[in-house]
Amino acid sequence: MEKQIALVTGAGKGIGAAIAQRLAKDGFFVIVNYRSSEDSANEIISKIKEFGGEACGYKCDVSNEDECVSMFNDIAEKYGNISVLVNNAGITRDGLLMKMSSEAFDSVINTNLRSAFLCSREASKQMIKEKYGRIINISSVSGIMGNFGQTNYSASKAGIIGLTKAAARELCTRNITVNAIAPGFIDTDMTSVLSDKIKETVKAGIPMKSIGDTDDIAAAVSFFAAKESKYITGQVLAVDGGMSM
Ligand code: NDP
């Protein structure tokens, strides 16, 4: 494989799909990971091929250790070692702390945080062999500020920040950078479930008074993924219209 390989988790739709398309435009061979959104992942791959990019899909539940390990081994065997990993897969299971089931807590931690640990562990083995790598973790403004009704989600996203900084320290002498992006309120399926009233309240609290779009996050990922960003590691970049400043 002449091109560098980038794996984006949860890339069948939303922010992940925008990241996959942006990295393909940047010249990466992109692996579009999905869990259930197969049709939409195939559409993203077709779009990438239409503009002359290269991509393929890989179905895998990234919170499952066996599936995750197999995915990384398969990729290495078929295409080569990956250079860029974007840990984007995520879910919400909102609810008040006093009413939250431990199952709702665990499923969010497993999907959002454990998956980032598993994928980063497997990717780092390949990146160390390549003597090069970029790991980019999608956190959230909720991981920085906390958010009402999201103790599970905020904990998972704050955990991502800790994981980013510790991994950055471990891997920085190997030419591997690890950074996080903390999106604010972005227009995707994850936020479309919220009522118009909640959306207006959130919008009113954003200094820029507007909701972000998926390309805003993809642009930040593109920056961290670039070879030129070699002296930046362990950082958390908020892309949130000023929400967390
Ligand atoms: P979406 O709900 O649109 O997409 C989430 C993606 O995660 C889907 O592609 C889904 O895949 C994937 N996913 C979920 N669980 C798994 C799993 N176990 N294995 C593999 N893939 C999985 O959400 P967004 O695009 O909005 O969110 C993307 C990331 O950005 C998340 O980490 C989210 O927390 C974060 N974020 C989003 C914000 C927003 O305002 N939208 C704000 C801050 C952070 P599939 O459909 O195939 O199951």
Side-chain angles (χ1 to χ4, degrees), residues 124-144:
S124 66
K125 293 176 195 169
Q126 298 188 9
M127 290 172 177
I128 283 169
K129 282 187 201 154
E130 290 297 299
K131 300 187 173 61
Y132 181 88
R134 300 273 182 265
I135 298 176
I136 301 145
N137 297 319
I138 306 300
S139 174
S140 167
V141 70
S142 304
I144 297 173

Side-chain angles (χ1 to χ4, degrees), residues 10 13-15 33-37 60-63 88-91 111 138-140 153 157 183-186 188-191:
K13 60 179 187 152
I15 292 172
N33 160 252
Y34 60 92
R35 178 190 51 174
S36 53
S37 299
C60 166
D61 174 349
V62 287
S63 65
N88 166 77
I91 57 166
T111 304
I138 306 300
S139 174
S140 167
Y153 184 78
K157 295 299 185 178
F185 197 86
I186 310 296
T188 66
D189 285 358
M190 186 176 273
T191 46

Side-chain angles (χ1 to χ4, degrees), residues 8-84:
V8 185
T9 69
K13 60 179 187 152
I15 292 172
I19 295 170
Q21 291 174 87
R22 176 63 195 248
L23 292 180
K25 281 189 185 139
D26 289 347
F28 291 96
F29 173 82
V30 179
I31 296 163
V32 175
N33 160 252
Y34 60 92
R35 178 190 51 174
S36 53
S37 299
E38 184 161 10
D39 290 346
S40 132
N42 285 333
E43 272 173 40
I44 299 304
I45 294 164
S46 298
K47 276 190 193 170
I48 289 174
K49 289 184 176 165
E50 267 166 35
F51 64 69
E54 285 184 84
C56 72
Y58 200 106
K59 182 179 165 70
C60 166
D61 174 349
V62 287
S63 65
N64 179 300
E65 184 163 16
D66 292 342
E67 285 189 33
C68 226
V69 171
S70 296
M71 173 169 72
F72 279 88
N73 289 342
D74 283 354
I75 292 169
E77 215 171 275
K78 276 189 203 144
Y79 308 109
N81 292 325
I82 70 160
S83 300
V84 175

